[in-house]
């Protein structure tokens, strides 16, 4: 295979994963995707046999609107692939260029921590609103009258929605302090497991970042040792040409295709998840959930500045740092890591 073909496959794979991750990681986008999908199906329907469209409809429904473990398997598969590549190729090459054993073992330690957090995210109850606990769950947060109003009934669960909760259509239950439904852990992120989710995101960033740095260091070492940067090659006209940056990249790609492929994937995952982690951290220190962020976005009236004299009665626009100023970062973070337990509240009131 020539460089161009390989490179095209590579770029396409990366683009496909970008689309996949962006579309499905958030959970909130599922409806938009579902709408696009049904629009496409409507256009195609005259040309597609009925059984086929029914089958694909059912597949999409199963994948994104019902709980299923597919993304957990995909998640473990990707991790397995990266760690296999790391253990069988990168590890050995790194030893040859003199990387210390300690820093080569760090990814395994991170993997152990990460798998624990992943398990906790998948298996812990996010804070399901249940009949028995309902009375105390309603008392945990006061209604703000803007995003959450008292007395709103969840038609499916037939219970009054506690403030900051939301009904998860995928899991078919109301969840306290609902953040979003994450398909990668096949669970909602809510009051009781946001802490694990934040640490889980951090652990993925640490793993991807550490292996990427080791791999980058290895490749730079190879380039430095072989003197590739300052070498010359003979072109088709028989002329001596200095090797440039693109030549070096091409050479590395053809010599270590799997390693360069993995590096590209890791860098992509690192930046994507670091951004996602920072977004969630910002929400956490401001005492907000992504659900509230989605709900409040675009709600406020842009003209209602305090000094503009314009008051249309719509709620003021969402300020992500409101909670930050009101109670302080540490109290907000403490609430994430020691979520308010409905039972505890009940005892206090007695
Ligand atoms: C977070 O906000 C809720 C209201 O939305 C409030 O009841 C709670 O006390 C706040 N927590 C902290 C630590 O500020
Ligand atoms: Zn519900
Ligand atoms: Zn859910």
């Amino acid at each position: 295979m020539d460089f161009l073909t390989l490179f095209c496959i590579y770029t396409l794979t990366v683009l496909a994963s970008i689309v996949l991750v962006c579309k499905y990681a958030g959970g909130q986008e599922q409806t938009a995707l579902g709408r696009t999908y049904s629009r496409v199906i409507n256009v195609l329907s005259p040309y597609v046999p009925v059984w086929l469209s029914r089958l694909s409809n059912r597949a999409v429904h199963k994948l994104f609107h019902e709980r299923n473990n597919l993304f957990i398997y995909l998640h473990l598969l990707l991790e397995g692939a990266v760690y296999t590549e790391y253990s069988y190729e990168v590890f050995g090459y790194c030893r040859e260029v003199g990387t210390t054993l300690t820093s080569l073992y760090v990814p395994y330690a991170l993997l152990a921590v990460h798998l624990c957090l992943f398990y906790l995210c998948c298996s812990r109850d996010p804070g399901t609103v249940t009949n028995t606990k309902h009375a105390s769950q309603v008392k945990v947060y006061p209604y703000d009258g803007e995003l959450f109003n008292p007395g709103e009934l969840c038609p499916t669960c037939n219970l009054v929605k506690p403030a900051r909760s939301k009904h998860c259509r995928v899991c078919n239950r109301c969840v306290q302090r609902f953040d979003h439904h994450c398909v990668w852990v096949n669970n909602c992120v809510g009051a009781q497991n946001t802490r694990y989710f934040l640490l889980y995101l951090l652990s993925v960033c640490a793993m991807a970042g550490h292996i990427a740095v080791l791999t980058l260091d290895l490749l730079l070492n190879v380039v430095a040792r072989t003197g590739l940067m300052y070498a010359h090659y003979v072109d088709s006209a028989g002329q001596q040409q200095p090797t440039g940056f693109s030549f070096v990249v091409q050479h590395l790609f053809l010599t270590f295709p799997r390693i360069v492929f993995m590096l590209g994937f890791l860098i992509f995952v690192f930046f994507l998840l670091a951004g996602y982690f920072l977004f969630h951290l910002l929400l956490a220190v401001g005492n907000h959930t992504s659900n509230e962020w989605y709900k409040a976005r675009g709600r406020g009236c842009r003209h209602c500045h305090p000094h503009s004299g314009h008051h249309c009665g719509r709620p003021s626009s969402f300020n992500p740092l409101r909670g930050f100023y009101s109670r302080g970062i540490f109290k907000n973070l403490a609430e994430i890591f020691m979520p308010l337990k409905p039972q505890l509240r009940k005892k206090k009131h007695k």
Side-chain angles (χ1 to χ4, degrees):
M1 249 191 284
D2 67 337
F3 180 68
L4 203 68
T5 325
L6 257 176
F7 195 75
C8 284
I9 296 177
Y10 177 69
T11 317
L12 279 181
T13 316
V14 170
L15 281 181
S17 15
I18 292 179
V19 171
L20 199 76
V21 173
C22 293
K23 280 288 179 195
Y24 308 130
Q28 301 283 339
E29 268 74 39
Q30 281 165 30
T31 43
L33 182 88
R35 254 182 273 131
T36 317
Y37 178 78
S38 45
R39 227 172 280 148
V40 171
I41 285 298
N42 273 342
V43 173
L44 290 180
S45 58
Y47 316 104
V48 175
V50 176
W51 63 269
L52 188 66
S53 70
R54 257 194 219 147
L55 194 74
S56 62
N57 262 329
R58 212 176 309 149
V60 165
H61 185 82
K62 269 233 146 54
L63 269 185
F64 301 112
H65 303 287
E66 265 175 39
R67 287 190 88 174
N68 73 75
N69 286 328
L70 185 88
F71 281 89
I72 292 192
Y73 298 141
L74 187 63
H75 186 293
L76 293 175
L77 195 78
L78 287 174
E79 248 160 44
V82 168
Y83 269 82
T84 310
E85 177 59 24
Y86 175 71
S87 308
Y88 283 100
E89 279 202 305
V90 179
F91 198 99
Y93 287 136
C94 279
R95 281 305 286 158
E96 278 172 31
V97 301
T99 315
T100 60
L101 265 182
T102 326
S103 85
L104 285 175
Y105 281 134
V106 168
Y108 297 111
L110 288 173
L111 180 68
V113 175
H114 161 81
L115 286 178
C116 293
L117 291 166
F118 184 53
Y119 173 76
L120 287 172
C121 275
C122 298
S123 63
R124 281 300 153 99
D125 176 55
T128 308
V129 177
T130 58
N131 262 319
T132 44
K133 290 192 206 153
H134 182 257
S136 50
Q137 279 168 331
V138 167
K139 285 186 204 137
V140 172
Y141 290 113
Y143 291 95
D144 62 356
E146 267 185 45
L147 298 178
F148 304 100
N149 295 305
E152 268 176 19
L153 202 70
C154 170
T156 315
C157 307
N158 206 19
L159 288 170
V160 170
K161 286 182 180 171
R164 311 192 81 181
S165 74
K166 185 177 185 278
H167 184 84
C168 174
R169 280 173 297 116
V170 181
C171 306
N172 200 24
R173 61 181 173 194
C174 276
V175 173
Q176 275 187 290
R177 201 187 194 277
F178 181 85
D179 196 278
H180 69 290
H181 180 89
C182 176
V183 289
W184 292 103
V185 300
N186 192 23
N187 201 358
C188 307
V189 177
Q192 309 295 328
N193 65 353
T194 303
R195 48 194 164 160
Y196 304 129
F197 185 71
L198 282 174
L199 293 175
Y200 154 80
L201 284 180
L202 199 61
S203 73
V204 181
C205 290
M207 276 170 20
H210 193 91
I211 300 183
V213 167
L214 284 177
T215 312
L216 212 58
D217 185 50
L218 166 72
L219 294 180
L220 289 178
N221 245 303
V222 168
V223 172
R225 284 193 181 193
T226 51
L228 261 181
M229 215 50 202
Y230 307 105
H232 286 77
Y233 68 96
V234 181
D235 68 3
S236 49
Q239 301 281 318
Q240 284 241 334
Q241 299 280 354
T243 58
F245 178 71
S246 69
F247 181 88
V248 171
V249 172
Q250 186 170 335
H251 178 81
L252 286 176
F253 199 89
L254 291 177
T255 324
F256 310 104
R258 285 183 300 270
I259 295 185
V260 175
F261 191 88
M262 180 189 83
L263 180 63
F265 176 71
L266 289 178
I267 291 177
F268 160 69
V269 166
F270 176 79
F271 281 107
L272 186 82
L273 288 189
Y276 199 55
F277 172 73
L278 285 181
F279 169 66
H280 273 273
L281 192 68
L282 200 69
L283 286 174
V285 299
N287 188 12
H288 296 295
T289 64
S290 8
N291 178 41
E292 286 154 5
W293 186 75
Y294 280 110
K295 277 183 100 164
R297 217 169 38 158
R299 259 200 164 205
C301 172
R302 268 191 221 156
H303 306 291
C304 284
H305 282 300
H307 307 299
S308 68
H310 174 98
H311 297 290
C312 61
R314 283 168 67 188
S316 56
S317 61
F318 183 69
N319 172 11
L321 294 179
R322 189 183 56 186
F324 172 88
Y325 290 118
S326 70
R327 299 284 290 274
I329 302 177
F330 293 109
K331 276 199 179 141
N332 292 340
L333 281 182
E335 201 176 289
I336 299 268
F337 284 92
M338 288 167 280
L340 302 172
K341 287 255 169 36
Q343 294 90 338
L344 286 179
R345 270 287 171 111
K346 211 175 172 185
K347 269 178 207 152
K348 247 189 243 168
H349 281 292
K350 268 181 188 170

